[in-house]
Amino acid sequence: MNLHVSADIWQPVRLTLELAALTTVILMIVGTPIAWWLARSRAWWKEAVAALVAIPLVLPPTVLGFYLLVALGPSGPGGALASLWGARTLAFTFPGLVIGSVLFSMPFVVQPIRNAFEAMGEKPLEAAATLRASPWRAFWTIAVPLASPGFLTGAILGFAHTVGEFGVVLMIGGNIPGRTKVLSVAIFDYVETSQWAEASVLALGMVVFSFCVILTMMLIEKKMTRSAS
Amino acid sequence: MRLMRFVAAALCAAATLLTSASAFAASANIAVAANFTEPAKEIAALFKAKTGHELVLSFGASGQFYTQIKENAPFAILLSADDERPKKLVDEGLGVADSRFTYAIGKLVLWSKDPNTIKGEETLKANAFNKLSIANPAAAPYGAAAVETLKALKLYDTIQPKIVQGNTISQAFQFVDTGNAELGFVALSQLMPNAGGSRWLVPQSLYSEIRQDAVLLKASAGNEAATAFLTFLRSPEARAVIEKFGYALDPKSGT
């Protein structure tokens, strides 16, 4: 293998990390209340909402990509939003990719946090309530620290899943270097045009990254079971 | 035990069906450049009616197919969007040398869904749009022709930030079709039925001729359906379809 790799392979890496980081932050903010509600609510239609959140687990990314392409365009809500700053569409933009990634990685963040809240049970919060802690304070001082492994798992999975996203980006990204050309699309491009060296470097990087993610997850889980016993 | 017997019987029946079907007709997998999607479907239907041979068509970017064929993808024929890649396949010993011919000459068109958007090259010069859609120039010859056109008009540097790329010419078309890009360079063949909107047929002087070559792949040189299809592709019947979709023809390729 020749190691004459063009320098522009790092741009997609940086863009992907930015996208994954921003998506993870948004998902932590949006996903936590959803997970909290799913863990605590007694509403009969709760599981329907849970199923809706989990749909991207089984939906082909192309389905989401297709709907997003229509929804982000001039005739959809995305176009209306984009017109606020004079654009016509949210497709082919970094914000458009963020919207797609948030929807696509939602289950990976919500599920572990929900599980952590459920595993915590009622008792700690009841105890806090008898000590006159406000629900808000009980949430931040009791629930969040107790569910921290769930938060960590959700953040890692959400981040990793966004890094690996391909189908959605391919359909709404438009392959613009520096703005929507993420890692997975760059690898696809390099393979399409027979640039094996660049493809190999990025692909190997992805394998190492994925291995580290899975290993980290396993170690967290091990630690959790140890502290639980 | 009864289940076993049932499965065996079913397998026998399936095998009989398969062998009897293939006794009458062969089948072949054809890799078709995305711009030729519609004509290829039509020609394959005519071909099947005439010979009984079944063609399995795959559509994609020429560059992608070239890469896959180099990795022994099970295609019998490549209908490329250029002459470059079929030539390379022959040089690399994967294509049958004397099977290569130009089945169509592509036409590039600037298209918008809005009837009043495109007036001609001045639309590009006026630069009053947000997004221009093209196919990925590295993998799709129509994308390369679009870039050539912009460079010939000395507009590439100004317009470049507004370019969005589809993986194939089909995706470039879809970006315009969904309204996400106001205009885009597509293949004339994609607009044939009656796409409406406004269009500018790019003069041939602005980009190098898109000579679309077919090549038979060595691994399938003995495939009866494949060789029959290449012959059929040169016939007046098939050429009438190709012409109907707005392609020019190379007079040397006819039979």
Side-chain angles (χ1 to χ4, degrees), chain A residues 69-70 72-75 86-92 170-176 179 188-189 191-194 196, chain B residues 61 63-64 66-67 70-71 130-131 136 138-139 161-168 171 174-175 178-182:
Chain A
L69 193 63
V70 176
L72 296 178
S75 46
R88 287 178 66 261
T89 173
L90 278 179
F92 324 127
L170 190 74
M171 287 184 78
I172 63 169
N175 205 1
I176 305 168
R179 271 189 291 164
F188 178 72
D189 253 15
V191 174
E192 246 192 347
T193 51
S194 307
W196 300 123
Chain B
Q64 193 180 338
Y66 169 77
T67 307
K70 281 187 70 166
E71 299 302 312
N130 288 301
K131 294 280 181 258
N136 180 347
K162 297 183 172 185
I163 290 178
V164 295
Q165 290 179 11
N167 171 43
T168 63
Q171 211 189 359
Q174 170 205 316
F175 285 157
T178 54
N180 282 295
E182 298 102 309

Side-chain angles (χ1 to χ4, degrees), chain A residues 102-116:
Chain A
V102 164
L103 290 172
F104 195 53
S105 297
M106 179 92 71
F108 293 86
V109 176
V110 169
Q111 204 52 48
I113 300 179
R114 178 190 174 175
N115 292 346

Side-chain angles (χ1 to χ4, degrees), chain B residues 235-248:
Chain B
S235 73
E237 209 177 337
R239 287 168 76 84
V241 174
I242 298 172
E243 215 160 10
K244 183 182 84 182
F245 278 92
Y247 294 93

Side-chain angles (χ1 to χ4, degrees), chain B residues 101-221:
Chain B
F101 70 95
T102 305
Y103 65 92
I105 297 168
K107 295 275 170 252
L108 187 69
V109 97
L110 182 69
W111 175 63
S112 167
K113 270 189 90 163
D114 176 70
N116 308 315
T117 296
I118 294 177
K119 308 272 186 281
E121 63 182 81
E122 53 267 32
T123 305
L124 291 169
K125 289 198 170 108
N127 202 356
F129 51 84
N130 288 301
K131 294 280 181 258
L132 168 77
S133 151
I134 68 171
N136 180 347
Y142 280 82
V147 171
E148 250 185 286
T149 302
L150 290 172
K151 283 185 172 158
L153 294 169
K154 304 214 168 23
L155 294 171
Y156 184 70
D157 294 332
T158 10
I159 292 181
Q160 204 265 332
K162 297 183 172 185
I163 290 178
V164 295
Q165 290 179 11
N167 171 43
T168 63
I169 197 75
S170 301
Q171 211 189 359
F173 179 90
Q174 170 205 316
F175 285 157
V176 181
D177 204 29
T178 54
N180 282 295
E182 298 102 309
L183 64 168
F185 281 104
V186 297
L188 179 60
S189 55
Q190 294 173 291
L191 302 182
M192 270 339 207
N194 44 12
S198 52
R199 62 178 77 174
W200 172 53
L201 187 61
V202 181
Q204 190 60 72
S205 56
L206 294 177
Y207 62 100
S208 16
E209 211 174 39
I210 303 176
R211 295 184 67 85
Q212 303 192 191
D213 279 11
V215 69
L216 177 66
L217 298 165
K218 258 190 194 151
S220 305

Side-chain angles (χ1 to χ4, degrees), chain B residues 24 27 37 39 51 62 66 69 87 89 104 124 129 132 139 141 150 159 172 182 196 219 222-223 226 236 239 248:
Chain B
F24 299 115
S27 84
T37 301
T51 63
S62 302
Y66 169 77
I69 288 165
K87 248 191 217 124
L89 287 170
L124 291 169
F129 51 84
L132 168 77
L150 290 172
I159 292 181
E182 298 102 309
N223 182 323
R239 287 168 76 84

Side-chain angles (χ1 to χ4, degrees), chain A residues 13 16-21 24 155-165 183-184 187 200-218:
Chain A
V13 175
T16 305
L17 295 177
E18 281 169 10
L19 177 68
T24 308
I156 294 173
L157 279 181
F159 187 92
H161 192 245
T162 307
V163 168
E165 195 180 320
L183 236 164
S184 56
I187 294 174
S200 308
V201 170
L202 292 181
L204 191 64
M206 280 303 295
V207 172
V208 173
F209 168 79
S210 309
F211 177 79
C212 294
V213 167
I214 304 286
L215 193 65
T216 312
M217 299 296 313
M218 287 176 167

